[in-house]
């Protein structure tokens, strides 16, 4: 069988980003060596807050052009305590998401063996969600401004933008995602009782798109009530679609309910395949533990599995996640999920599991 090479742009960026991306690339290399059917040509880009402090920008002006030729982007984390958050986010991550029209943000959540969950009486297999987040408009469209800055009459506006094109395409993506899963169940998150224009249109388009997927059972949930349902009745949920802001918040709750943000992955997808999609762990830069060697790499491994699925490497993805499950079930865990292992120890154990070795310690 001919080996397929995938060109990957790695952007470790800030905080624990370099540590977890290094762990992820080690695991990808082990997969390549073990399976013998795929390889990775990884190019690293030293963009982020250090680049900003040296050059005044988070990435070069031609950054998107440099990334266009890659098959996928493997992203670490962005954010630094000495650089304002709106600069780090709007200077690197969001320009890539918006510039490459990665309008579908996909955040799976499940309880990994060996990882304790705060949910009482919920175990492995009882919580298995995919949150689909609209990733290009809504509350994070960047539309708005400030006037009379510093004066008593200062005004700041943040305009949520909902377009028929944007809402329709994310609804179709979410319904198709639900259709592909065994339960064929979708929950549409809304807040149309209080937001009576954009969110009412969101609800109406959801009902229209539902007609195209008669085999998908769907319901609608106000976002505040959704937090209660996720906590008290998690088994009633499967696939979830929400706006940019609502899904951002709910997916952090989902990660916490599964045990830790350190095990939560993200894919920023251009479903049409016009541009490279971007894959990143959900946990952020976590500067409080950066450099201590204890960052949880599991989210980054799961993110790599999402990337492999996107690249058509389903066998490699399944092999990777089976190795991750085996390692976590063996109790080889970082401190955020109750273990004492280092980032490298977890990585080494996953590599051993990929290679099929019986002893993981």
């Amino acid at each position: 069988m001919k080996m397929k090479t995938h060109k990957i742009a790695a952007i470790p960026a800030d905080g624990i980003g370099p540590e977890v991306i290094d762990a992820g690339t080690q695991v990808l290399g082990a997969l390549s060596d073990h399976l013998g059917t795929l390889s990775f040509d990884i190019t690293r880009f030293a963009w982020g807050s250090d680049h900003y402090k040296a050059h005044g920008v988070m990435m070069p002006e031609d950054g998107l052009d440099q990334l266009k030729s890659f098959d996928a982007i493997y992203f670490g984390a962005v954010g630094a305590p000495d650089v304002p958050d709106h600069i780090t986010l709007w200077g690197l991550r969001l320009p890539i998401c918006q510039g490459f029209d990665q309008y579908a943000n996909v955040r799976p959540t499940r309880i990994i063996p060996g990882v304790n969950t705060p949910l009482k009486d919920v175990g492995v297999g009882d919580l298995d969600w995919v949150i689909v987040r609209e990733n290009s408009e809504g509350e994070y469209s960047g539309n708005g401004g400030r006037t009379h800055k510093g004066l008593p009459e200062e005004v700041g506006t943040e305009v949520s933008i909902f377009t028929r094109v944007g809402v329709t395409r994310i609804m179709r993506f979410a319904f198709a995602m639900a259709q592909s899963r065994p339960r064929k169940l979708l929950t549409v998150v809304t807040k149309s009782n209080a937001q009576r224009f954009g969110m009412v249109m969101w609800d109406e388009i959801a009902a229209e798109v539902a007609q195209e997927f008669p085999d998908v059972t769907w319901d609608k949930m106000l976002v505040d009530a959704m937090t209660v349902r996720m906590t008290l009745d998690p088994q009633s949920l499967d696939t979830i679609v929400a706006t940019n802001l609502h899904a951002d918040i709910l997916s952090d709750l989902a990660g916490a309910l599964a045990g830790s943000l350190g095990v939560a992955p993200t894919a920023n997808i251009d479903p049409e395949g016009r541009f490279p999609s971007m894959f990143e762990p959900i946990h952020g830069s976590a500067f409080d533990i950066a450099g201590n060697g204890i960052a949880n790499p599991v989210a980054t491994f799961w993110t790599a599995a999402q990337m492999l699925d996107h690249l058509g490497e389903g066998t490699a993805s399944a092999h990777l996640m089976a190795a991750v499950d085996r390692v976590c079930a063996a109790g080889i865990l970082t401190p955020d999920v109750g273990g004492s292992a280092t980032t490298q120890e977890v990585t080494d154990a996953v590599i051993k599991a990929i290679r099929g070795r019986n002893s993981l310690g």
Side-chain angles (χ1 to χ4, degrees):
M1 184 181 294
K2 185 178 179 182
M3 181 177 288
K4 187 172 184 180
T5 300
H6 301 285
K7 287 182 61 181
I8 308 298
I11 308 176
D14 301 333
I16 62 172
E19 300 170 53
V20 295
I21 290 297
D22 178 64
T25 55
Q26 289 181 56
V27 163
L28 289 174
L31 271 175
S32 175
D33 292 342
H34 179 72
L35 297 176
T37 58
L38 73 166
S39 65
F40 303 96
D41 179 4
I42 299 175
T43 302
R44 285 172 171 78
F45 292 85
W47 301 342
S49 295
D50 287 343
H51 191 278
Y52 174 81
K53 285 179 275 191
H55 304 284
V57 290
M58 293 288 290
M59 68 176 178
E61 188 175 341
D62 66 344
L64 294 184
D65 289 333
Q66 292 187 44
L67 297 174
K68 274 182 182 177
S69 63
F70 288 88
D71 299 319
I73 302 165
Y74 200 24
F75 192 91
V78 69
D82 54 352
V83 180
D85 287 343
H86 68 278
I87 290 177
T88 57
L89 188 64
W90 283 97
L92 184 57
R93 184 186 175 278
L94 287 181
I96 295 173
C97 289
Q98 294 188 349
F100 288 154
D101 203 16
Q102 298 165 347
Y103 65 82
N105 180 278
V106 181
R107 300 187 169 192
T109 303
R110 66 179 174 87
I111 297 174
I112 293 178
V115 175
N116 291 326
T117 170
L119 293 176
K120 185 175 66 174
D121 300 327
V122 174
V124 174
D126 287 337
L127 189 157
D128 186 1
W129 303 332
V130 175
I131 297 178
V132 176
R133 170 186 176 187
E134 200 293 313
N135 207 34
S136 66
E137 51 179 45
E139 303 89 347
Y140 293 175
S141 62
N143 206 290
R146 291 172 66 182
T147 58
H148 310 300
K149 289 180 70 172
L151 299 175
E153 62 269 28
E154 181 175 356
V155 175
T157 59
E158 203 76 53
V159 182
S160 296
I161 301 295
F162 295 95
T163 66
R164 176 162 284 275
V165 167
V167 177
T168 300
R169 67 185 186 177
I170 200 62
M171 287 297 174
R172 284 204 177 108
F173 183 92
F175 271 94
M177 175 69 73
Q179 188 180 55
S180 72
R181 288 167 59 82
R183 295 176 67 187
K184 299 185 187 302
L185 173 65
L186 177 69
T187 297
V188 177
V189 177
T190 184
K191 192 57 182 169
S192 50
N193 60 337
Q195 296 175 282
R196 59 196 178 114
F197 300 114
M199 292 260 58
V200 169
M201 186 175 80
W202 172 273
D203 291 352
E204 290 171 355
I205 293 174
E208 292 169 13
V209 173
Q211 301 303 309
E212 303 172 20
F213 298 87
D215 57 335
V216 174
T217 300
W218 74 288
D219 60 4
K220 188 171 66 173
M221 203 80 192
L222 294 175
V223 65
D224 43 343
M226 186 65 171
T227 63
V228 178
R229 182 173 171 187
M230 289 170 67
T231 306
L232 299 183
D233 193 15
Q235 297 96 328
S236 72
L237 297 164
D238 188 82
T239 310
I240 300 160
V241 63
T243 70
N244 216 329
L245 173 63
H246 293 163
D248 190 10
I249 296 168
L250 293 178
S251 58
D252 272 22
L253 174 59
L257 293 175
S260 170
L261 291 185
V263 300
T266 305
N268 302 288
I269 304 292
D270 165 28
E272 280 73 47
R274 300 157 295 171
F275 306 105
S277 294
M278 182 165 67
F279 303 84
E280 58 176 323
I282 203 174
H283 50 57
S285 54
F287 262 85
D288 57 327
I289 62 168
N292 294 335
I294 57 170
N296 193 337
V298 168
T300 310
F301 298 157
W302 194 348
T303 294
Q306 284 188 286
M307 182 168 66
L308 289 166
D309 281 328
H310 181 73
L311 295 171
E313 301 287 0
T315 299
S317 173
H319 196 75
L320 171 55
M321 288 311 297
V324 170
D325 282 356
R326 184 180 166 205
V327 167
C328 292
I332 305 172
L333 305 164
T334 47
D336 62 302
V337 284
S340 58
T342 66
T343 307
Q344 192 58 52
E345 286 169 345
V346 174
T347 303
D348 290 342
V350 169
I351 289 172
K352 287 180 181 179
I354 287 170
R355 293 171 177 163
R357 296 183 183 174
N358 291 328
S359 175
L360 299 179

